[in-house]
Amino acid sequence: MPRRSLYLLFFGSGASGLVYQVLWMRALSLTMSVSVYAATTVLCAFMAGLALGSMLAGRIADRLERPFAAFGLAEVGVGLTGFFALELLFGLAPAEIWIHDAFGGGGVAMTFARFLVAFAVLVIPCTLMGATLPFLSRALVDDDDAIGRGTGALYAVNTFGAVAGCVTSGFLLIPSLGLASTNSVAAALNVTVGLVAIALGRGVRREVEAPSGAVEARRLPRSALLITLGFGVSGFIALGYEVLWTRALEQFTHNSTYAYTAMLGTFLVGIASGSAVASRWADRSRRPDVVFGRIQIGIAVSVLISLLFYMRLLHWMPAIAGGIGGLGSWWRVIVLIFSVTGLTLFSTTFLFGATFPFVTRAIVESQTVVGRRVAQAYSINTLGSIFGSVTIGFLLLPWLGMAGTFVALILANLALGTTFALGVSGARARATTAAVAAACVAGSFLLIPGDLFRAIFAERYGELLMYKEQITDIVMVTEDELGQRLIRYGDGRGTAGTSTVHEDRSYAHFAMLPHENPKNVLSICFGVGNSLSSLTQYPVERIDAVELSPGVVEAAPYFEATNRNVLSDPRVHLTIQDGRNFLLTTDRYYDVIRLDPPELHTAGVVNLYTREFFELARSRLAEGGIFSIWVNVSYTPEDALRMVMRTAADVFPHVQVWRGPYFYGWVINGSMDPNPPDLARIGRGFAREQVRSDLASIGVRNPYEFLGLFVMGDKAVRAFAGDAPVLTDNRTRLDFDVPKARESSFGVSNHITGSYLKEFTRSHEASRRLLKRYCRYMEPVLPHVVNAAYVGVGPVALARNLERVSNRGLCAGMRASNDPGDRSR
């Protein structure tokens, strides 16, 4: 059989496998949350299936006369089971609720239960995926002198296929087709690959070893066992670097879905390229185990050099942006992201990819055991990766910090490398190896400061009052020369602070004043607690506050001047959990559910704007309840905002929109009952001293000024939304569309990061033009007002009072001083 046909089929297999991984991770985040714990659980379940499949296939691969047909059957099986796996994942809500109730909503037991559920759904397709490499290795390798070349080429081709799957799914298929249709494409590709492989392999047979040889093949020689275990350690280290670099590069690429796709694609390109190049040399090596050791030392050196490059990236990023002609389009931003990730990661991932051909050359003594040996190496490496994803993310990072964990992994590379590389004969070669390793150790401690990442953030943002590297993310508090404080995250995104209090407090009142008598409230996304503190000004009985990041809560004391130490209020009950998952698992009903999510270009946030989430929130509303969600419209292009409005109107029969004092923050209220601006309810709210004082603190001194913040009512919302698509879990759209907009700085910067990269995108001008366009859609509040008699003035006086606080002056002026801000809560 022509090798090109085999390579082409395995390329397709790799492409579909990566597409499944992306799809399944997204689907499981809808029920198991977007937290790092849930994501790691899903990744471990996926990789455990691959390892299991490889081990099982390795037991039979070398005894198959038609391994190519076995590969074809496995591919057909992947396609058929993968097609149904997505639907099973979409339907896991009852299982998640049961797990939550059974294990108390957290802890190791719940995490393990989630792993078992995910593994149970994915085990069959992932096991079949893991079986493909041993089968094809057995089918392809027919020469004892070409073992490294054959297995390395297969690994490279499959990984290049994964690159294609990663980029195609992230940039084209999922944005254009949605999850279900993309899943169908991947399944169809698997079935096609499988059927073609079965047809082509019909007449292809391989000799089967004698029974005595089969028994002998089960015994892994001591030297092969050592390098196989070393390959497992290499997998542990590789996954650790992936975790670290993804977080480290986040502040320069930001955390849109495209940035993560670019980083994963870069990892895979490097691994595939390294395997492809090394496969040409592996069979010429007399000591592949020594080469493996030298490569590990080379990896350590490459990481050290990359960290030195990273230390200067803050200053080089603008030069790179200028070198590609600026950031005037989304495609140029993508080029920038790939350039930065490539310069940082490629050499390291190239070397990791180069290890596989030398490992297989070292452990496969003849073609008769190639299937078993490749399976053993691949499965041990995958198990090492699983252990690495858990250990690095949950143990080493919190203990050593990012810089310390980088150094620890560099030392691990050096220890692993010298263990094998010093086995070479010749004093000069051993001395050179030892010298390089020693120099790298010294460089790690002398050149990489322990506060590397904190120092870069401090240089960019000024004084850091708080800086915390935690399991979930990086959280910091900055203070500028005027004494204004802001909470920031590892991607550089500034959210809320002392300077955003006027907007933040207003958002809470838009949800509370229109309600007759709110007693139980749910607030999702804590921010700095400004909005939450305004909720406590009402005579509520209970407020459930939900926040994903524990570091955000630790930052709260730095904002007591504006959040009034809100967490000390006995009515406030804080839960660290994904907001969507909280709503899925709670049995409470709320009078008001309100959310202040990050901007729509942030990865994962779209899960809080889909029809399914709005329906979930609606199901937890008490009679007469109000659902209220914030949108930063200065970052949200018109087509995207129409989709948000259309989705809200599709779920809630009655929708109103309000705006913050500075206009850039809009709040969408949805309810099952009519809820027009009611002067009686608003007036009763102002009659409460705490509420009136809180509103006065943000410049809203009477009911008329509050009504002046009205944007549009039911009919106008539906007219604005038009026939825009409804956002669904299957077709999220926003996370792919919004980062392409200049208004969002193409997802690579934001207004609150200062001038950094902003001059290249010119997003500030685009946002101001966008807000002026939005002014055209605002309508007078007077026709919507009910119970006007409550204020004791006639229709003419009411109209005159409302005219004085109308939006016309704001929209006509739109002063530059009202700079569209960032996320405010």
Side-chain angles (χ1 to χ4, degrees):
M1 177 184 301
R3 288 177 180 264
R4 290 183 180 179
S5 299
L6 189 152
Y7 289 148
L8 182 62
L9 293 175
F10 207 34
F11 179 92
S13 174
S16 64
L18 206 288
V19 172
Y20 285 131
Q21 181 179 342
V22 173
L23 292 174
W24 295 340
M25 292 284 285
R26 290 177 70 98
L28 278 165
S29 72
L30 300 173
T31 51
M32 292 188 176
S33 93
V34 296
S35 71
V36 66
Y37 302 97
T40 302
T41 298
V42 174
L43 180 62
C44 289
F46 182 87
M47 291 192 295
L50 297 180
L52 176 62
S54 183
M55 287 188 286
L56 293 176
R59 292 179 176 273
I60 62 172
D62 297 317
R63 289 178 277 166
L64 295 175
E65 291 184 350
R66 295 180 177 177
F68 199 58
F71 161 76
L73 289 173
E75 285 293 312
V76 171
V78 172
L80 296 178
T81 57
F83 179 81
F84 294 104
L86 186 66
E87 285 302 316
L88 292 174
L89 297 177
F90 274 137
L92 283 182
E96 175 66 10
I97 294 171
W98 181 86
I99 291 172
H100 179 274
D101 293 342
F103 297 101
V108 176
M110 181 172 174
T111 299
F112 185 67
R114 279 176 163 175
F115 169 82
L116 291 179
V117 169
F119 184 74
V121 175
L122 303 180
V123 60
I124 296 178
C126 289
T127 298
L128 292 170
M129 283 184 206
T132 57
L133 181 60
F135 286 155
L136 275 193
S137 298
R138 167 64 176 159
L140 177 71
V141 178
D142 55 5
D143 184 350
D144 288 351
D145 294 326
I147 291 171
R149 183 183 184 91
T151 57
L154 275 178
Y155 189 70
V157 166
N158 189 252
T159 308
F160 275 124
V163 173
C166 171
V167 175
T168 303
S169 63
F171 284 85
L172 179 63
L173 292 178
I174 298 177
S176 302
L177 303 177
L179 300 185
S181 295
T182 301
N183 187 67
S184 297
V185 170
L189 178 58
N190 277 127
V191 172
T192 301
V193 166
L195 293 177
V196 171
I198 292 171
L200 293 178
R202 189 176 302 168
V204 179
R205 290 177 178 270
R206 293 295 310 275
E207 285 188 19
V208 179
E209 60 186 338
S212 58
V215 173
E216 185 65 26
R218 296 190 183 96
R219 301 172 184 169
L220 195 64
R222 183 177 179 277
S223 59
L225 176 62
L226 288 176
I227 196 169
T228 300
L229 294 176
F231 195 42
V233 175
S234 179
F236 173 95
I237 298 170
L239 216 296
Y241 284 135
E242 183 175 350
V243 171
L244 291 172
W245 278 122
T246 298
R247 184 174 293 191
L249 288 171
E250 196 177 53
Q251 72 156 308
F252 298 109
T253 63
H254 288 258
N255 62 342
S256 73
T257 185
Y258 293 116
Y260 288 132
T261 299
M263 281 189 274
L264 178 58
T266 302
F267 265 92
L268 294 172
V269 166
I271 290 172
S273 301
S275 185
V277 172
S279 66
R280 298 177 175 272
W281 299 92
D283 295 307
R284 304 179 191 178
S285 173
R286 290 180 296 177
R287 292 294 304 273
D289 56 333
V290 173
V291 177
F292 171 79
R294 289 173 175 173
I295 290 175
Q296 295 299 319
I297 295 173
I299 290 171
V301 173
S302 74
V303 173
L304 178 60
I305 293 172
S306 293
L307 285 171
L308 296 175
F309 169 77
Y310 180 84
M311 290 168 61
R312 292 156 181 80
L313 196 53
L314 181 65
H315 304 286
W316 291 348
M317 277 282 285
I320 297 173
I324 62 176
L327 303 177
S329 69
W330 174 71
W331 279 109
R332 287 188 178 180
V333 170
I334 295 302
V335 171
L336 173 71
I337 293 174
F338 272 109
S339 298
V340 170
T341 55
L343 289 170
T344 308
L345 305 176
F346 183 79
S347 60
T348 300
T349 54
F350 179 92
L351 291 171
F352 270 115
T355 60
F356 184 76
F358 288 101
V359 168
T360 56
R361 177 68 269 180
I363 66 175
V364 181
E365 57 268 34
S366 76
Q367 58 174 302
T368 59
V369 295
V370 65
R372 175 176 291 273
R373 295 289 189 261
V374 167
Q376 289 167 335
Y378 180 76
S379 58
I380 293 298
N381 182 261
T382 304
L383 291 174
S385 299
I386 294 172
F387 189 52
S389 66
V390 174
T391 304
I392 301 300
F394 298 150
L395 296 178
L396 289 187
L397 256 177
W399 178 35
L400 300 176
M402 289 184 62
T405 306
F406 263 118
V407 171
L409 291 182
I410 289 173
L411 297 179
N413 269 132
L414 294 173
L416 178 63
T418 53
T419 298
F420 289 95
L422 291 180
V424 68
S425 58
R428 178 176 296 181
R430 287 195 296 271
T432 301
T433 299
V436 172
C440 192
V441 170
S444 299
F445 286 104
L446 298 177
L447 301 178
I448 307 302
D451 65 344
L452 166 63
F453 299 97
R454 180 186 181 116
I456 292 175
F457 281 114
E459 182 180 2
R460 184 171 178 180
Y461 300 119
E463 183 180 2
L464 301 183
L465 303 181
M466 169 192 161
Y467 177 82
K468 184 174 182 61
E469 294 174 356
Q470 55 185 1
I471 293 173
T472 54
D473 54 3
I474 297 174
V475 178
M476 67 200 88
V477 176
T478 61
E479 185 173 72
D480 63 19
E481 62 277 3
L482 300 177
Q484 297 288 357
R485 294 180 177 182
L486 198 73
I487 191 169
R488 297 182 187 273
Y489 302 97
D491 64 348
R493 172 172 46 90
T495 59
T498 56
S499 61
T500 65
V501 65
H502 285 74
E503 287 280 311
D504 302 345
R505 289 180 178 175
S506 71
Y507 304 148
H509 294 292
F510 296 142
M512 299 295 282
L513 277 179
H515 196 281
E516 178 68 29
N517 187 26
K519 292 299 183 183
N520 293 290
V521 179
L522 172 62
S523 179
I524 296 176
C525 303
F526 179 81
V528 299
N530 289 343
S531 295
L532 184 62
S533 73
S534 289
L535 295 177
T536 63
Q537 306 311 300
Y538 290 82
V540 299
E541 296 175 354
R542 180 186 177 97
I543 301 174
D544 284 329
V546 180
E547 169 57 46
L548 183 64
S549 170
V552 169
V553 179
E554 293 186 35
Y558 293 91
F559 299 94
E560 288 185 356
T562 55
N563 70 25
R564 297 174 284 217
N565 194 21
V566 64
L567 292 178
S568 65
D569 191 311
R571 297 169 298 170
V572 174
H573 301 266
L574 177 69
T575 301
I576 302 298
Q577 192 175 346
D578 172 78
R580 178 164 176 159
N581 186 261
F582 179 90
L583 262 179
L584 176 67
T585 55
T586 187
D587 57 0
R588 293 183 178 275
Y589 289 87
Y590 298 95
D591 299 307
V592 170
I593 297 175
R594 63 172 314 277
L595 297 90
D596 293 303
E599 287 80 7
L600 289 169
H601 61 268
T602 306
V605 169
V606 72
N607 290 349
L608 301 177
Y609 288 91
T610 64
R611 179 175 61 196
E612 289 83 355
F613 175 73
F614 286 178
E615 290 172 341
L616 175 62
R618 184 185 65 189
S619 73
R620 307 316 301 171
L621 284 176
E623 185 176 354
I626 295 174
F627 172 79
S628 185
I629 191 167
W630 176 89
V631 181
N632 186 331
V633 294
S634 69
Y635 287 172
T636 308
E638 195 166 319
D639 287 344
L641 187 58
R642 290 182 191 278
M643 287 188 276
V644 174
M645 298 284 203
R646 172 69 192 283
T647 305
D650 189 64
V651 174
F652 296 99
H654 304 280
V655 181
Q656 293 80 38
V657 180
W658 301 79
R659 67 168 179 84
Y662 297 120
F663 190 74
Y664 67 84
W666 286 14
V667 172
I668 302 170
N669 282 357
S671 60
M672 298 305 294
D673 304 314
N675 193 23
D678 188 328
L679 263 177
R681 293 182 181 180
I682 295 171
R684 286 193 293 269
F686 271 87
R688 297 187 177 104
E689 172 59 31
Q690 285 182 289
V691 173
R692 183 171 64 252
S693 175
D694 195 58
L695 285 162
S697 73
I698 61 174
V700 180
R701 291 158 295 190
N702 55 60
Y704 305 116
E705 291 183 343
F706 181 80
L707 289 173
L709 301 176
F710 182 81
V711 176
M712 63 179 80
D714 281 332
K715 290 183 179 178
V717 167
R718 285 169 168 77
F720 175 79
D723 59 354
V726 173
L727 304 170
T728 66
D729 289 344
N730 179 52
R731 288 290 304 275
T732 53
R733 300 177 187 270
L734 293 181
D735 49 336
F736 298 103
D737 290 352
V738 176
K740 290 184 178 181
R742 186 187 299 273
E743 291 87 353
S744 68
S745 299
F746 308 111
V748 78
S749 184
N750 57 50
H751 295 290
I752 218 158
T753 59
S755 62
Y756 189 74
L757 294 184
K758 193 170 65 177
E759 67 272 21
F760 292 100
T761 64
R762 301 182 68 180
S763 57
H764 173 64
E765 300 171 11
S767 292
R768 280 170 38 84
R769 289 194 298 268
L770 179 65
L771 292 181
K772 288 183 178 180
R773 289 203 306 274
Y774 284 151
C775 278
R776 300 198 305 264
Y777 299 107
M778 299 193 339
E779 59 175 345
V781 67
L782 181 60
H784 298 274
V785 174
V786 298
N787 291 325
Y790 180 87
V791 295
V793 300
V796 176
L798 176 62
R800 189 165 50 246
N801 287 333
L802 291 176
E803 176 67 18
R804 282 198 294 266
V805 296
S806 69
N807 290 308
R808 291 187 302 172
L810 171 75
C811 291
M814 195 60 71
R815 297 174 302 165
S817 60
N818 288 343
D819 191 351
D822 208 282
R823 256 290 300 112
S824 301
R825 317 176 202 172

